[in-house]
Amino acid sequence: MDVNRNAPVIVELEPFTHAALSTVRDPHTTVDRRSDRNPYIERANLRGATFDWLAAGLEITSTIGELVPQRRIARDRRTHGIDGLHLHLGTFTPRPAGVLDRTEESWAGEPVRADPSNLRTAPESPLRDWLSALRKTAETTSLPQGGSA
């Protein structure tokens, strides 16, 4: 599963977190607690491989399409005609001092094609803020020891 490289909107971020892999990964796999860690998410409810969530007033349905333990989580999302593929924690890459988190997201669909310049920045700011909040939490919760993350 990969982002839509032909989509009008693509966001790619690579934050580095000074924490153990499990500490970085766990917040992304505990869907029902997303609203505790992300100020943009008002609620999230997991139903098998699908979860519904409310963010910035938008009802969103996401489906986990790929899960490679300790490596990769891929999910799609759809709301109001916007088809998004979000490779959240696209890749977990352990490093001696922590974890590199390659996160990618693409947005396509009629609303995006109709107004790509205004929607180009829509996913980046909340995604950057959320990853920053997760990084801060992870770094204060667990520091890697002995050079292994």
Side-chain angles (χ1 to χ4, degrees):
M1 190 173 216
D2 195 8
V3 295
N4 177 354
R5 298 287 172 201
N6 296 315
V9 174
I10 298 174
V11 175
E12 298 173 314
L13 301 172
E14 286 190 324
F16 183 83
T17 303
H18 295 278
L21 175 58
S22 62
T23 305
V24 175
R25 181 201 64 236
D26 288 352
H28 298 281
T29 59
T30 52
V31 172
D32 290 337
R33 295 193 53 225
R34 283 180 177 254
S35 60
D36 297 345
R37 295 178 295 268
N38 185 336
Y40 293 96
I41 297 177
E42 298 165 47
R43 74 169 185 284
N45 302 303
L46 182 63
R47 299 176 288 110
T50 300
F51 58 99
D52 300 309
W53 46 299
L54 179 65
L58 294 174
E59 290 283 347
I60 303 167
T61 298
S62 292
T63 303
I64 299 167
E66 181 180 0
L67 176 62
V68 179
Q70 312 235 359
R71 260 323 260 163
R72 182 176 168 99
I73 300 170
R75 71 173 197 256
D76 66 10
R77 67 168 73 161
R78 289 175 172 57
T79 186
H80 299 281
I82 298 173
D83 297 328
L85 179 59
H86 182 150
L87 290 183
H88 208 259
L89 287 223
T91 310
F92 295 113
T93 306
R95 302 271 196 232
V99 178
L100 181 66
D101 164 8
R102 177 153 179 81
T103 300
E104 300 175 89
E105 184 167 339
S106 61
W107 282 18
E110 188 52 40
V112 184
R113 283 189 296 277
D115 193 8
S117 59
N118 283 328
L119 289 175
R120 189 160 283 121
T121 59
E124 185 170 351
S125 182
L127 184 57
R128 188 177 300 280
D129 291 349
W130 185 46
L131 291 171
S132 177
L134 290 176
R135 187 189 76 243
K136 287 175 188 172
T137 299
E139 289 178 346
T140 59
T141 302
S142 169
L143 297 175
Q145 297 181 13
S148 62

